[in-house]
Amino acid sequence: MKKPLSNRFWLTLLAAALILCAVAAVFLFSRTASGTVAVITLDGETVEEIDLSAVSESYTLTFTGKSGITDVVEVSPGKIRVKEADCPDQICVHQGWIETGVAPIVCLPNALVIQIQDSGDGPDAVVG
């Protein structure tokens, strides 16, 4: 007849699994702002690549597309946004600051896209 496993065994196994999950979560999701690059494209052409981790003071850039619409982009340490736009819906302005590559800023009337990409210095938190 087999002896049943004790509660101590199951508690030890559960604790080891929790520690392993915590270590994995820290490794996968501990990302810093270093190495993030904002890529700005206008009409499908890359017009600027900005290393946001190297920005020490805020500044603005102005982009005018073929449609004649102007976007004023503000760059600050670790983040970027469309500060002003001539487009009627202002969706790009209302999106606010972005700091990660989760969602780009898009101004459809001006064909302006701002996408943050990781420079590859650390592990990817999202695989796709």
Side-chain angles (χ1 to χ4, degrees), residues 13 82 95 113:
L13 185 64
V82 175
Q95 186 170 352
V113 178

Side-chain angles (χ1 to χ4, degrees), residues 1-111:
M1 184 187 284
K2 287 187 174 182
K3 182 179 176 184
L5 296 174
S6 69
N7 286 340
R8 177 183 272 175
F9 170 79
W10 290 112
L11 287 175
T12 304
L13 185 64
L14 179 62
L18 288 174
I19 291 170
L20 182 63
C21 287
V23 169
V26 167
F27 176 73
L28 290 175
F29 297 110
S30 65
R31 297 182 65 136
T32 62
S34 67
T36 54
V37 176
V39 178
I40 303 173
T41 58
L42 185 63
D43 294 314
E45 305 266 336
T46 299
V47 291
E48 289 282 335
E49 289 188 14
I50 304 164
D51 183 357
L52 296 176
S53 63
V55 175
S56 58
E57 291 186 24
S58 296
Y59 63 92
T60 60
L61 301 167
T62 303
F63 299 98
T64 303
K66 293 177 184 174
S67 63
I69 294 175
T70 300
D71 290 312
V72 177
V73 175
E74 184 176 5
V75 181
S76 287
K79 59 188 179 180
I80 191 167
R81 72 175 176 155
V82 175
K83 182 178 181 180
E84 300 171 19
D86 292 342
C87 57
D89 58 16
Q90 299 287 299
I91 292 173
C92 55
V93 174
H94 295 301
Q95 186 170 352
W97 295 100
I98 60 171
E99 300 176 25
T100 65
V102 173
I105 297 174
V106 178
C107 180
L108 281 178
N110 201 21

